[in-house]
Amino acid sequence: MTPEELSATIAVCIEEAIAAGEIALTNEDVVEVRVERPKVREHGDWATNVAMQLAKKAGMNPRAFAELVAARLLTVDGIEAADVAGPGFLNIRLSAGAAGELARSILHEGEDYGRGESFAGVHVNVEFVSANPTGPIHLGGTRWAAVGDSLSRLLEFHGAEVTREYYFNDHGVQVDRFAQSLLAAILGEDAPEDGYGGEYIQEIANRVLQDAMEAGEDDPLELPRAEAQEFFRARGVHLMFDQIKESLHDFGVDFDVYFHEDSLHKSGKVERALDQLKESGSLYESEGAWWLRSSEFGDEKDRVVIKSDGNAAYIAGDIAYIRDKRERGAQLCIFLLGADHHGYIARLKAGAAALGYNPDSVEVIIGQMVNLVKDGAPVRMSKRAGTVVTMEDLVDVVGVDAARYALTRSSADATLDVDLDLLASATNANPVFYVQYAHARSAGVARNAAEYGFSREDGFDASLLTHESEAALLGVLGEFPRIVAQAVDFREQHRVARYLERLASVFNQWYDRTRVTPQGDERITDLHRTRLWLNDATGQVLRNGLGLLGVSAPERM
RNA sequence: GCCCUCGUAGCUCAGCUGGACAGAGCACCGGACUUCUAAUCCGAUGGUCGCAGGUUCGAAUCCUGCCGGGGGCACCA
């Protein structure tokens, strides 16, 4: 019996009690029954506080309410005990057979175990990273790459059709500085004020020049300075972007759409969006500029959309961009932005509202910064000083799996401290290895069972799974779908990681206390075979969960 | 000044859509390998859940104020 089935069963019991006139409620009053794993094992396999939630409305003592439900539950097949405890908790113990069936249903569902339907058929646009091509992806961007991709995987697991999108701009002030820096580097000059430092600038500058010479082109350094700068901008940005894409790809993150900011302006999409806003009366003219009535949509003040010089302000592009995403079919637009962009939330939502969309169709996830820590002290990252840690640096030191896991196992709205020395030196203290090891272990057990010549298909008797550690393991296995659903609902991938650590832990405990394969000349029985089901089911869930984080599930370690 | 976010064990962090004695990993101390991977397991130590009020049968969780860390407040992009 899965927790979902148990939850439904309890709801039926309550409805029956209502029908029998024992509880003064209507079926509409019956909220979703949530069953949870009690923290204390002695309290049973599952517990619910539904009696305490409903008793007040029914004008009853919570314990009395729970007693009524318990009495009915006891008549249900597969429920061994139902006790009322404390102020009105209902503690439930399943029979071993009913609990053990879960192993079979998990393997039956396979890689679909844990899937949900909450986003079935919904087109979701997830935009993340979106760094301009002026340098390699740094630690912060790496975090969004890991988190954004994991959230996308979660949404897909719940039926969404996800577009992973990267928004970039290769013009503008920052890119000009990048181009100036390239030119300065190749000419042997100091990096310009507010320019970019670091070895990569020199490398890219050299590559641009080298590629041009090898292709037999005119020496760009012979050009007038402004033209030379443009030459280095165009070529340099291209090289930089290729490098970024390659880093992301090596990190396991590939985008469906690389959206060029310029295309909004060149295609007239900005103008069309602004025309729509003017027509709908969302814009007004004042002091020679056009303002969006964003304060009417929750922003703290109105924003200039068309500057008094006639040029579009930055926000105009954002508005046109939202409109474009919606017109491409996105029903929900999720933006992952760093904490330094939190001022965008109100503006983006106001933009969406002004366009006539539900502001809730724009969702901004603000992630906190990643701090680099060395010897216990924070290191200030600076592009100029060249103390930036890049995605490639991190992967070089700890590998893709450890990097992705470390960045996804924490909530995005908590600042994260990354100590490279610690990750590098104490890799076996990293939780990712604990989880991966558990998976490799389950794979090893399966291999051994095959060597002993027995397989799952030869027998299954769920009632044999009576060991205490088996009840614990089955309980955690059963939680997976709900954990996934919560992670999707709250857009919190870290819940999956924390769950996997718990699952690995109860699996290791089970492994330590019981055996799947026979010892000595012991005969192979259904107990061995049934435990193999449990072992394989655990491996399946670990694999499904790691997949949602974009972390590999090795067969051997 | 205003806004966002965080403040839980020595460290890194879970728990926060209210529930049963506050959790994990690391670090530290003590145990367990002739039998499926010891990258494991068992035990011990360790916390005024920033502070103060409030709501509630019940608050780490919700509300208010304060303190502290981080980030942000443009006709910049």
Side-chain angles (χ1 to χ4, degrees):
Chain A
M1 184 179 290
T2 67
E4 286 71 30
E5 289 163 353
L6 177 61
S7 165
T9 303
I10 295 169
V12 168
C13 288
I14 295 173
E15 285 166 10
E16 282 176 5
I18 291 170
E22 296 166 14
I23 295 173
L25 288 175
T26 64
N27 286 1
E28 284 72 49
D29 294 323
V30 181
V31 293
E32 186 202 356
V33 179
R34 284 173 55 194
V35 296
E36 299 181 331
R37 290 239 100 202
K39 285 179 198 160
V40 186
R41 281 296 299 142
E42 291 75 56
H43 287 154
D45 295 322
W46 299 98
T48 178
N49 63 355
V50 70
M52 288 181 283
Q53 290 178 330
L54 295 178
K56 196 177 227 174
K57 204 173 218 173
M60 294 174 70
N61 176 314
R63 288 192 62 103
F65 189 109
E67 293 286 359
L68 287 173
V69 181
R72 291 197 134 76
L73 269 177
L74 282 172
T75 67
V76 175
D77 219 29
I79 290 180
E80 194 167 275
D83 304 310
V84 179
F89 290 101
L90 191 51
N91 293 331
I92 297 153
R93 185 158 26 251
L94 302 178
S95 66
E101 281 298 328
L102 179 65
R104 188 163 24 200
S105 42
I106 287 172
L107 286 166
H108 178 70
E109 292 184 49
E111 58 187 31
D112 288 331
Y113 178 64
R115 261 187 202 283
E117 299 289 320
S118 64
F119 276 86
V122 179
H123 186 159
V124 183
N125 184 293
V126 183
E127 185 202 319
F128 54 109
V129 185
S130 295
N132 284 344
T134 57
I137 300 290
H138 53 75
L139 214 44
T142 309
R143 184 180 198 183
W144 309 140
V147 170
D149 187 59
S150 179
L151 286 175
S152 299
R153 288 164 187 249
L154 277 162
L155 289 162
E156 285 168 341
F157 206 48
H158 261 243
E161 204 176 298
V162 174
T163 300
R164 291 168 175 77
E165 187 147 328
Y166 186 119
Y167 183 68
F168 74 101
N169 181 13
D170 59 13
H171 287 279
V173 177
Q174 291 171 48
V175 180
D176 286 345
R177 287 178 188 151
F178 172 68
Q180 287 160 14
S181 304
L182 290 178
L183 193 54
I186 204 72
L187 294 171
E189 299 168 359
D190 290 339
E193 192 72 19
D194 297 325
Y196 296 90
E199 286 175 27
Y200 77 94
I201 290 288
Q202 188 70 53
E203 285 169 16
I204 288 184
N206 292 345
R207 272 275 301 281
V208 170
L209 186 60
Q210 193 185 330
D211 288 354
M213 301 319 277
E214 281 174 7
E217 298 177 57
D218 294 338
D219 186 346
L221 299 179
E222 302 287 322
L223 295 167
R225 180 119 191 165
E227 286 174 42
Q229 185 179 315
E230 171 53 25
F231 185 89
F232 275 87
R233 184 202 64 74
R235 302 291 178 94
V237 157
H238 191 73
L239 288 173
M240 195 69 251
F241 209 29
D242 282 348
Q243 193 179 315
I244 287 172
K245 285 181 187 171
E246 194 183 331
S247 300
L248 286 165
H249 177 77
D250 292 342
F251 197 59
V253 179
D254 291 292
F255 288 85
D256 302 302
V257 175
Y258 289 91
F259 194 92
H260 197 306
E261 183 182 331
D262 250 16
S263 70
L264 285 171
H265 299 273
K266 287 184 178 151
S267 63
K269 282 173 181 164
V270 171
E271 273 177 35
R272 282 204 294 280
L274 294 179
D275 286 345
Q276 184 192 330
L277 292 179
K278 281 181 188 171
E279 277 169 33
S280 67
S282 298
L283 297 188
Y284 64 91
E285 204 170 3
S286 173
E287 300 165 49
W290 284 86
W291 299 69
L292 173 70
R293 298 182 196 280
S294 49
S295 59
E296 287 181 15
F297 300 104
D299 201 355
E300 55 190 28
K301 56 176 283 196
D302 290 348
R303 305 285 171 182
V304 167
V305 177
I306 305 173
K307 295 186 277 189
S308 49
D309 64 7
N311 289 321
Y314 192 75
I315 184 178
D318 286 333
I319 293 170
Y321 187 35
I322 289 175
R323 188 166 178 266
D324 185 68
K325 280 182 179 174
R326 292 295 306 247
E327 287 183 347
R328 277 187 279 140
Q331 294 160 278
L332 175 63
C333 302
I334 297 179
F335 297 76
L336 265 79
L337 300 173
D340 52 342
H341 287 76
H342 91 260
Y344 276 30
I345 303 175
R347 254 171 281 176
L348 288 174
K349 282 179 174 286
L355 288 165
Y357 302 122
N358 181 345
D360 290 340
S361 68
V362 170
E363 212 173 275
V364 183
I365 296 174
I366 291 296
Q368 295 298 312
M369 303 294 182
V370 180
N371 296 317
L372 188 60
V373 176
K374 204 170 179 65
D375 302 324
V379 179
R380 198 74 185 164
M381 282 196 280
S382 156
K383 278 193 180 177
R384 291 215 63 191
T387 55
V388 174
V389 172
T390 66
M391 175 180 272
E392 286 167 320
D393 294 339
L394 183 64
V395 169
D396 280 350
V397 176
V398 305
V400 171
D401 282 342
R404 288 191 67 143
Y405 194 86
L407 294 170
T408 50
R409 79 183 285 267
S410 287
S411 164
D413 52 28
T415 53
L416 191 62
D417 289 344
V418 170
D419 187 330
L420 278 186
D421 293 334
L422 193 78
L423 276 178
S425 65
T427 47
N428 51 355
N430 191 316
V432 71
F433 291 105
Y434 185 77
V435 177
Q436 288 185 315
Y437 180 70
H439 181 266
R441 198 173 227 183
S442 74
V445 170
R447 283 193 298 270
N448 291 330
E451 265 180 45
Y452 276 97
F454 70 97
S455 69
R456 299 199 305 254
E457 285 67 31
D458 298 333
F460 178 75
D461 181 354
S463 69
L464 296 174
L465 297 176
T466 53
H467 194 277
E468 192 187 10
S469 63
E470 288 169 337
L473 179 54
L474 284 162
V476 177
L477 287 170
E479 286 182 70
F480 185 61
R482 201 173 53 106
I483 295 289
V484 170
Q486 284 179 343
V488 171
D489 196 21
F490 297 137
R491 327 276 190 257
E492 291 183 343
Q493 81 298 325
H494 73 271
R495 289 168 184 268
V496 174
R498 300 301 172 145
Y499 167 81
L500 291 176
E501 290 167 30
R502 265 196 309 130
L503 177 57
S505 174
V506 291
F507 173 72
N508 280 327
Q509 287 165 22
W510 173 69
Y511 174 88
D512 194 62
R513 289 162 178 70
T514 66
R515 285 189 62 91
V516 174
T517 55
Q519 280 179 284
D521 53 3
E522 198 185 342
R523 195 158 293 144
I524 293 164
T525 66
D526 273 356
L527 177 59
H528 298 116
R529 299 188 187 97
T530 307
R531 282 184 174 155
L532 183 58
W533 282 83
L534 188 54
N535 175 76
D536 292 355
T538 305
Q540 183 70 58
V541 176
L542 287 169
R543 209 151 47 241
N544 292 4
L546 284 169
L548 289 170
L549 299 175
V551 175
S552 71
E555 300 283 317
R556 299 170 197 270
M557 286 178 79

